[in-house]
Amino acid sequence: MRRPIDSLFGRLALLVVAVLLLSHFAWYALMRLERSQLQTRYAVEEATFLVDAVRQHVARTPDQPLPSRVKLVDPASPDVPAASANMPPPLARFVEDVRDRMPADTQVRVGPPGAPPMLWVRAVTDQNWIVVPVQPLRMPRSLDRTVLWLVIIFSFAVMAALFAAWALQRPLRLLAQAVARFGRGLPVPPVPERGPRELRQLTHGFNQMVQEVARTENDRAVMLAGVAHDLKTPLARLRLRAEMMDDAKTRDGVVRDVDSMTHIVEQFLLFAHDGADRSEPVEVDAQCERVVRSYRAVATSAPTVHTELNAGPSFLLPAATLDRILSNLIDNAHAYGAPPVVVATARTPQSFTLSISDSGTGIAAQDLINASRPFVRLDPARGGNGHSGLGLAIVERLVRRAGGEWEIGNHGGRGLRVLMSFPFDVLPRVATASENAW
């Protein structure tokens, strides 16, 4: 199961959202703290200004009434609040700030809790307590418009950051897809060179590598095909002359050698062929059954080929590709394995599978890595006439060209098994390519 967090975009998105969330939360906490401090400073300045205004009013116009909620209280009045030593920290800081702004030895008290907030101030020179209103020091706890704007800004920032992350990882995703196609042996069109400088350099290097590999493969294929093609005519003349020999024993030996050389030449031509298979898709189960029946009809060991076909009619492959895969693998199993040979298909949750296995001794573990390399013959098991070491290499190329993957190994100690898997998403493309060819 693919996890979104494993992708580059998923990790960039998670990182961006986490950084934006942390920065916005820190900004909001700092803003609330600064707002609280600003409110406290403003309340101190306002209270100091009101007390000074009342003193000037008493000194200059004592006969004029005081403003609303501002009053003078006699020190002997029972309404004078007692000095409290257990005030909340914000209120205690507020009282200390007001006291610092007043003359020395000024008494500063706060009205009783539950009533409108009032500040009681009496300096040494004051005859009465000066009582003035003060602003509430606590911010409202309900969500205000700041939080709404914060959410809006955060949403737009996340969308912009996700778009930037998507634009950054898109060239990497295209490059990763091209690398996957190149690894499967499929044609790779040039990848657009976009993104940061380092990514453009990487993409440019990959495009150059693909071009060089394609040029080398094409040169090798042309050389191999040319040599093989030029050998077909002299081999045909040699076979014709061999069949005209009088000595039957010599004639049969020469004909057998010519047939082996002809088979090698045909393998060379098949390996050098790099074009797309445009034959009509066929049902793999039905075609496997037909191929196995033909082997049973012509081979002396016909009963040793069995089938276990369970993929169903949805499993389609080009007819020529499938025939070449089956013929190479069944011939290989007959030549180097032991009966019975089993041709099996199945449907898994992710793909269709096709496997050919025999009951021989298999291949040594250290030789498995070289088994599918072209022109490699594993001695002594891979000796014999008419074999060029291309059979498994041809099968691997055909499977990858059809969009599949293959695995070669010893199957539970019962011989060699070649397991090929074809994902569901490549099968429609195979059928479409064949339809477009017509």
Side-chain angles (χ1 to χ4, degrees):
M1 179 179 177
R2 297 178 60 184
R3 296 182 299 172
I5 197 62
D6 282 341
S7 66
L8 176 62
F9 177 74
R11 297 194 178 188
L12 282 177
L14 181 62
L15 177 63
V16 165
V17 172
V19 170
L20 286 176
L21 187 62
L22 181 62
S23 62
H24 280 68
F25 176 78
W27 173 73
Y28 181 67
L30 181 62
M31 185 182 64
R32 285 181 64 92
L33 177 62
E34 184 66 20
R35 181 176 173 183
S36 176
Q37 293 177 349
L38 285 175
Q39 188 183 37
T40 301
R41 288 197 296 268
Y42 179 78
V44 170
E45 294 293 335
E46 185 182 39
T48 304
F49 174 78
L50 286 177
V51 171
D52 291 340
V54 171
R55 285 175 179 156
Q56 293 179 11
H57 177 82
V58 171
R60 296 177 183 177
T61 57
D63 55 337
Q64 296 293 327
L66 293 171
S68 175
R69 296 188 62 191
V70 177
K71 58 184 177 179
L72 299 176
V73 178
D74 187 271
S77 172
D79 295 334
V80 177
S84 176
N86 298 322
M87 291 184 293
L91 190 58
R93 287 195 299 268
F94 170 74
V95 170
E96 288 296 328
D97 290 342
V98 172
R99 185 178 291 114
D100 292 340
R101 298 294 301 275
M102 296 294 173
D105 298 329
T106 299
Q107 300 181 60
V108 180
R109 300 178 186 179
V110 179
M118 305 294 290
L119 184 67
W120 296 64
V121 179
R122 185 183 180 216
V124 178
T125 57
D126 295 331
Q127 297 181 358
N128 299 307
W129 285 92
I130 301 175
V131 183
V132 297
V134 295
Q135 288 186 349
L137 297 180
R138 294 175 59 186
M139 294 182 61
R141 294 185 179 276
S142 60
L143 296 178
D144 53 13
R145 287 184 299 177
T146 304
V147 177
L148 177 61
W149 279 108
L150 184 67
V151 171
I152 295 175
I153 295 173
F154 176 77
S155 301
F156 278 102
V158 167
M159 288 188 291
L162 292 182
F163 176 78
W166 175 82
L168 181 63
Q169 65 87 35
R170 187 169 182 269
L172 276 176
R173 181 168 55 86
L174 295 177
L175 182 60
Q177 293 173 351
V179 171
R181 288 180 59 87
F182 182 73
R184 293 197 301 266
L186 300 176
V188 181
V191 182
E193 298 176 11
R194 295 195 296 259
R197 182 179 66 255
E198 294 82 2
L199 184 56
R200 293 197 305 270
Q201 293 174 349
L202 176 63
T203 306
H204 180 72
F206 174 77
N207 288 335
Q208 283 188 327
M209 180 189 69
V210 171
Q211 292 175 0
E212 290 297 326
V213 170
R215 187 180 299 112
T216 303
E217 284 288 327
N218 184 65
D219 293 343
R220 185 180 67 169
V222 170
M223 180 187 66
L224 190 61
V227 172
H229 184 271
D230 292 341
L231 285 175
K232 293 181 68 176
T233 300
L235 284 174
R237 291 198 302 263
L238 185 60
R239 180 184 178 88
L240 180 60
R241 292 172 181 173
E243 290 178 348
M244 298 174 62
M245 292 180 177
D246 296 331
D247 188 352
K249 183 176 180 180
T250 304
R251 181 180 65 245
D252 293 342
V254 174
V255 169
R256 189 163 52 251
D257 291 340
V258 171
D259 289 341
S260 297
M261 295 173 65
T262 303
H263 177 72
I264 293 174
V265 169
E266 290 175 350
Q267 291 288 81
F268 280 0
L269 289 173
L270 182 60
F271 181 76
H273 175 69
D274 200 26
D277 186 356
R278 301 186 180 278
S279 59
E280 180 182 0
V282 295
E283 294 183 13
V284 174
D285 285 4
Q287 188 68 6
C288 287
E289 189 63 43
R290 284 193 292 268
V291 171
V292 170
R293 279 203 306 267
S294 67
Y295 267 87
R296 290 170 180 168
V298 299
T300 56
S301 55
T304 61
V305 183
H306 303 313
T307 58
E308 298 176 2
L309 308 175
N310 303 308
S314 300
F315 188 12
L316 304 175
L317 285 177
T321 294
L322 181 59
D323 287 343
R324 291 167 183 169
I325 291 174
L326 292 174
S327 61
N328 274 281
L329 291 179
I330 294 178
D331 287 343
N332 190 79
H334 276 295
Y336 307 118
V341 177
V342 180
V343 179
T345 63
R347 181 189 180 110
T348 67
Q350 295 80 23
S351 62
F352 290 110
T353 62
L354 168 65
S355 66
I356 288 89
S357 58
D358 60 60
S359 302
T361 58
I363 298 177
Q366 64 270 19
D367 292 332
L368 283 174
I369 191 172
N370 296 321
S372 62
R373 295 183 61 185
F375 308 108
V376 172
R377 296 169 59 182
L378 305 180
D379 294 327
R382 292 308 188 242
N385 296 325
H387 299 284
S388 58
L390 286 175
L392 293 179
I394 291 173
V395 172
E396 180 182 17
R397 176 171 291 193
L398 293 173
V399 170
R400 294 189 183 279
R401 192 179 298 161
E405 297 289 340
W406 90 320
E407 177 185 349
I408 181 172
N410 299 315
H411 182 48
R414 298 194 302 272
L416 187 69
R417 183 183 71 165
V418 177
L419 175 64
M420 296 152 282
S421 60
F422 299 88
F424 298 137
D425 57 347
V426 306
L427 299 180
R429 292 203 297 268
V430 170
T432 303
S434 301
E435 293 170 2
N436 293 338
W438 293 98

